[in-house]
């Protein structure tokens, strides 16, 4: 190992330590005192409920752990968006679980809470995956109701999706384990089956105080909408549980009896571990996002037996296209090559940049994977498309458009791993969030933005300088450096993988060593949903 490898390893393991520290903080939800109060009521926390429900010997992944991070500070914050979402297994059946975290503002819905819940339903719909709701929520967070209530992608979309999933035959089970009020009361009742926990669960359109104010009736919440009322009088719920564990045990028994599903038929054989040591990833990924490295060395540490068959190896070398297996699943890999490459014509091409020939190659490969029904894995470390007269005269916009078209119209499931840079149109061509990857995750080394912090700061500095000089202010070299540093620090915060994860532009920031698990579980989920339309790229300028 060379000294550069060791320095990279130290840097990336520090990033991993930071990820673990942040995750530990997120897992406390509203804090230890609120957790204690929750336990005093005889209730489990959202994470405890999920961990009890899921098969302990099977893998699971958490979606949106950093949702809401550093947002809504004026309202006291909203750790993890006030809801915990995991993909895992119940009695061997893969499913997605959504649990309100009542330690965060009594489980109230902030705007990001709605976005995160909709993301969970989107995953369920795309993959025909059973979804389990563990409900414990005070409903919409009223001080921000205008940002969560009325729009198409707001609170009401949840119930619309309940109805759509029901028509698609996607299993939905809801357990009311705390409050379930106002419009939120429809979620469990629009599920296939609903459970309610005695004494702690309640469902009503309006609580006792509002009932008194609205119609003058005096009634307590338990009589109004408790477990006995809804299981024995109204018939709203199907099962009464004595406590949280009893409810979760009932869900396990219900899941245990669900029949098998129609498979999409993605190819899988017995899984093999990589021959090359995955831990080497920490030494290969460079400390500086501007440095070059060989992406093939990363691929070797992600794929079974460290083996892959490269498609058009000598052509369009700034994108690697290859067939491989990950945890036994056949995949087509589209990856940005991050080292300087020399073409057969003797020309040098910069790593991480998409050139005409690499865009052309990727388009053909994506079409081939669709033809063969092979899921696609995108490994992003891209600064964008090549600029300049040579590229423009060669039709880079046309070739880039073909690649974007192929990505957009793919019918096989796509999975995106942001390893390093994810800038500008390169983000789009390499299947960024706007292009419907089934799952998209980032490594701690990732950056997502229109351009790098350094480049953006230089552009923004020129604008700022011109504005100040118009006002008659003289810009000294010291003042210029101060402005540049201020702009760059602000921009660097926005390119952070945590900034993206807080807004659910990605599903998670993950340990690179968990990449195989995310891809494998993602393809298994996608295998629940047979492809329903042929691959068609429409009109192209060829």
């Amino acid at each position: 190992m060379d000294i550069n490898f060791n320095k990279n390893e130290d840097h990336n393991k520090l990033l991993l330590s930071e990820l673990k520290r942040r995750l530990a903080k997120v897992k406390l939800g509203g804090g230890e005192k609120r957790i204690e109060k929750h336990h005093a009521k005889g209730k489990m926390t959202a994470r405890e409920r999920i961990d009890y429900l899921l098969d302990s010997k099977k893998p699971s992944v958490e979606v949106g752990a950093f949702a809401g991070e550093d947002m809504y500070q004026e309202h006291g914050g909203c750790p993890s968006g006030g809801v915990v979402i995991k993909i895992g297994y119940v009695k061997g059946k893969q499913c997605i679980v959504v649990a309100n975290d009542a330690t965060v503002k009594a489980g109230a819905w902030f705007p990001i809470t709605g976005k995160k819940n909709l993301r969970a339903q989107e995953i369920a719909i795309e993959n025909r995956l059973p979804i389990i709701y563990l409900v414990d929520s005070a409903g919409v967070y009223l001080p921000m109701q205008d940002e969560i209530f009325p729009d198409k992608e707001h609170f009401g979309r949840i119930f619309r999706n309940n109805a759509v999933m029901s028509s698609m035959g996607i299993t939905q089970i809801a357990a009311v384990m705390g409050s379930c009020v106002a419009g939120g009361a429809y979620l469990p009742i629009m599920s296939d089956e609903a459970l309610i926990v005695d004494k702690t669960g309640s469902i009503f359109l309006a609580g006792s105080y509002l009932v008194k104010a609205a119609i003058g009736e005096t009634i307590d919440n338990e009589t109004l909408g408790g477990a006995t009322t809804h299981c024995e009088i109204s018939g709203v719920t199907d099962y009464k549980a004595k406590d949280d564990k009893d409810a979760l045990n009932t869900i396990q028994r219900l899941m245990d009896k669900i029949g098998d599903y129609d498979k999409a038929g993605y190819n899988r054989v017995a899984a093999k571990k990589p021959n090359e040591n995955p831990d080497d990833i920490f030494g290969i990924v460079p400390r500086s996002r501007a440095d070059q490295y060989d992406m093939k060395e990363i691929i070797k540490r992600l794929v079974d037996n460290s083996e892959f068959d490269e498609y058009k190896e000598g052509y369009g070398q700034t994108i690697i296209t290859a067939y491989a297996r990950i945890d036994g699943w056949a995949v087509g890999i589209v990856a940005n090559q991050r080292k300087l490459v020399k073409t057969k014509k003797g020309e040098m091409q910069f790593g991480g940049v998409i050139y005409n020939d690499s865009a052309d190659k990727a388009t053909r490969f994506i079409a081939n994977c669709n033809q063969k029904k092979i899921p696609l894995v995108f490994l992003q470390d891209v600064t964008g498309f090549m600029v300049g007269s040579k590229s423009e005269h060669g039709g880079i916009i046309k070739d880039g458009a073909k690649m974007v078209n192929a990505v957009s119209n793919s019918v096989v499931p796509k999975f995106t791993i942001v390893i390093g840079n994810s800038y500008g149109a390169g983000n789009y061509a390499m299947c960024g969030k706007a292009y419907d990857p089934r799952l998209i995750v980032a490594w701690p080394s990732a950056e997502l933005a229109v351009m790098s912090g350094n480049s953006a700061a230089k552009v923004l500095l020129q604008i700022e300088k011109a504005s100040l000089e118009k006002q008659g202010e003289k810009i000294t070299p010291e003042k210029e450096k101060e402005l540049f540093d201020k702009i760059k620090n602000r921009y660097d915060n926005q390119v952070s993988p945590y900034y993206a994860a807080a807004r659910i532009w990605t599903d998670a920031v993950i340990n690179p060593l968990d990449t195989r698990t995310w891809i494998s579980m993602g393809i298994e989920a996608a295998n629940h949903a047979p492809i329903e339309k042929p691959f068609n790229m429409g009109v192209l300028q060829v």
Side-chain angles (χ1 to χ4, degrees):
M1 300 294 177
D2 62 24
I3 189 69
N4 202 44
F5 182 98
N6 291 335
K7 286 182 177 179
N8 289 342
E9 185 175 45
D10 289 344
H11 173 78
N12 286 309
K13 287 196 171 177
L14 281 173
L15 292 181
L16 180 58
S17 294
E18 172 69 2
L19 169 62
K20 290 177 178 178
R21 184 191 69 77
R22 287 175 180 249
L23 280 171
K25 183 180 177 183
V26 157
K27 287 178 181 179
L28 290 174
E32 291 177 351
K33 287 184 178 178
R34 288 182 184 169
I35 291 172
E36 288 171 11
K37 287 182 179 179
H38 204 70
H39 286 159
K41 296 175 184 176
K43 297 165 71 174
M44 302 164 76
T45 65
R47 291 181 181 280
E48 288 167 347
R49 288 165 176 167
I50 292 177
D51 289 345
Y52 184 89
L53 178 65
L54 294 180
D55 297 348
S56 59
K57 294 183 180 179
K58 299 276 279 183
S60 66
V61 294
E62 183 172 352
V63 175
F66 293 111
E69 185 175 68
D70 292 330
M71 296 168 67
Y72 316 118
Q73 294 305 308
E74 67 278 21
H75 297 278
C78 188
S80 214
V83 63
V84 182
I85 296 171
K86 285 191 178 183
I87 302 173
Y89 302 81
V90 176
K91 293 296 182 180
K93 293 182 175 63
Q94 195 179 37
C95 58
I96 186 164
V97 185
V98 180
N100 300 112
D101 186 350
T103 70
V104 179
K105 297 285 185 184
W109 287 54
F110 284 70
I112 199 68
T113 316
K115 186 173 184 179
K116 186 171 173 179
N117 274 270
L118 287 169
R119 176 63 181 139
Q121 289 186 322
E122 180 181 41
I123 292 169
I125 290 169
E126 285 183 327
N127 299 291
R128 308 293 195 274
L129 208 57
I131 185 166
I132 298 167
Y133 308 100
L134 306 180
V135 184
D136 193 345
S137 171
V140 166
Y141 183 61
L142 289 178
M144 301 188 75
Q145 65 84 27
D146 61 320
E147 297 181 46
I148 180 62
F149 173 67
D151 208 350
K152 180 179 177 181
E153 299 299 330
H154 283 178
F155 193 65
R157 189 77 171 181
I158 303 290
F159 317 127
R160 174 264 186 194
N161 286 350
N162 287 143
V164 168
M165 283 190 278
S166 183
S167 73
M168 294 171 68
I170 298 170
T171 296
Q172 299 176 82
I173 299 172
V176 179
M177 310 179 83
S179 297
C180 184
V181 301
Y186 289 105
L187 184 146
I189 313 313
M190 295 188 74
S191 300
D192 302 336
E193 293 179 278
L195 304 83
I196 186 168
V197 178
D198 196 20
K199 300 297 185 285
T200 55
S202 58
I203 308 171
F204 34 67
L205 296 179
S208 56
Y209 292 127
L210 188 53
V211 168
K212 176 71 172 176
I215 64 172
E217 181 183 1
T218 301
I219 189 170
D220 64 273
N221 283 339
E222 182 64 25
T223 306
L224 181 66
T228 299
T229 294
H230 287 310
C231 287
E232 299 175 20
I233 300 172
S234 72
V236 164
T237 49
D238 307 307
Y239 306 92
K240 180 162 71 170
K242 64 182 181 182
D243 56 25
D244 282 7
K245 287 186 178 180
D246 187 32
L248 298 170
N249 290 337
T250 302
I251 293 172
Q252 289 171 341
R253 292 194 295 273
L254 293 172
M255 287 291 293
D256 193 36
K257 296 172 181 65
I258 294 175
D260 204 357
Y261 56 90
D262 295 332
K263 310 285 195 301
Y266 302 119
N267 185 296
R268 192 180 198 185
V269 298
K272 302 283 181 65
K273 292 181 178 179
N275 286 334
E276 301 288 344
N277 186 0
D279 282 327
D280 292 345
I281 286 171
F282 297 108
I284 296 168
V285 175
R287 304 182 300 286
S288 168
R289 299 305 326 124
D291 288 350
Q292 306 273 298
Y293 66 97
D294 189 351
M295 182 63 83
K296 291 181 186 179
E297 294 303 316
I298 298 292
I299 295 172
K300 288 176 185 177
R301 287 153 178 85
L302 294 178
V303 302
D304 291 14
N305 280 335
S306 298
E307 295 174 347
F308 57 92
D309 297 304
E310 198 167 347
Y311 172 81
K312 289 185 178 290
E313 181 179 1
Y315 177 69
Q317 294 178 70
T318 64
I319 285 184
I320 299 163
T321 48
Y323 298 107
R325 289 189 183 276
I326 293 178
D327 200 35
W329 294 103
V331 296
I333 295 172
V334 181
N336 301 112
Q337 176 57 290
R338 275 307 311 265
K339 71 174 187 177
L340 201 65
V341 297
K342 191 174 184 179
T343 69
K344 294 295 182 184
K345 295 179 182 179
E347 298 170 336
M348 299 305 296
Q349 293 184 339
F350 296 102
V353 179
I354 301 175
Y355 288 77
N356 299 67
D357 53 358
S358 46
D360 174 63
K361 175 173 83 170
T363 302
R364 296 189 194 193
F365 181 73
I366 290 165
N368 279 345
C369 287
N370 275 273
Q371 194 88 332
K372 298 174 182 178
K373 205 159 76 170
I374 299 173
L376 286 159
V377 174
F378 291 83
L379 302 179
Q380 282 196 10
D381 195 343
V382 58
T383 53
F385 286 88
M386 190 58 190
V387 297
S389 61
K390 186 174 181 181
S391 287
E392 296 293 359
H393 295 173
I396 186 66
I397 296 174
K398 179 180 64 178
D399 290 325
K402 286 192 290 185
M403 183 175 174
V404 170
N405 191 312
V407 173
S408 303
N409 286 301
S410 282
V411 294
V412 294
K414 300 167 289 193
F415 303 89
T416 302
I417 315 297
V418 186
I419 290 174
N421 303 323
S422 181
Y423 297 152
N427 168 283
Y428 301 160
M430 291 295 294
C431 198
K433 182 66 182 288
Y435 292 82
D436 298 323
R438 295 293 175 96
L439 294 169
I440 175 170
V441 297
W443 288 3
S445 50
E447 292 187 356
L448 293 86
V450 171
M451 61 182 77
S452 72
N454 205 50
S455 299
K458 287 177 181 177
V459 173
L460 293 168
L461 175 65
Q462 296 309 310
I463 297 169
E464 183 76 5
K465 275 178 63 181
S467 174
L468 292 171
E469 285 168 350
K470 272 186 181 179
Q471 297 170 30
E473 187 172 336
K474 187 178 180 182
I475 307 298
T476 63
E478 293 78 17
K479 176 70 173 175
E480 184 170 328
K481 184 180 184 306
E482 181 187 329
L483 283 170
F484 178 82
D485 290 344
K486 182 180 177 182
I487 293 167
K488 187 173 185 302
N489 287 339
R490 184 175 68 240
Y491 196 88
D492 283 347
N493 179 57
Q494 293 179 4
V495 306
S496 157
Y498 298 102
Y499 190 91
R503 289 150 183 82
I504 318 184
W505 301 343
T506 62
D507 291 315
V509 183
I510 68 166
N511 183 338
L513 303 183
D514 293 334
T515 304
R516 282 169 54 88
T517 299
W518 274 84
I519 293 171
S520 177
M521 288 186 68
I523 297 174
E524 184 179 347
N527 206 33
H528 286 73
I531 295 171
E532 295 176 346
K533 65 176 184 177
F535 175 63
N536 182 351
M537 287 177 60
V539 177
L540 285 176
Q541 287 189 309
V542 294

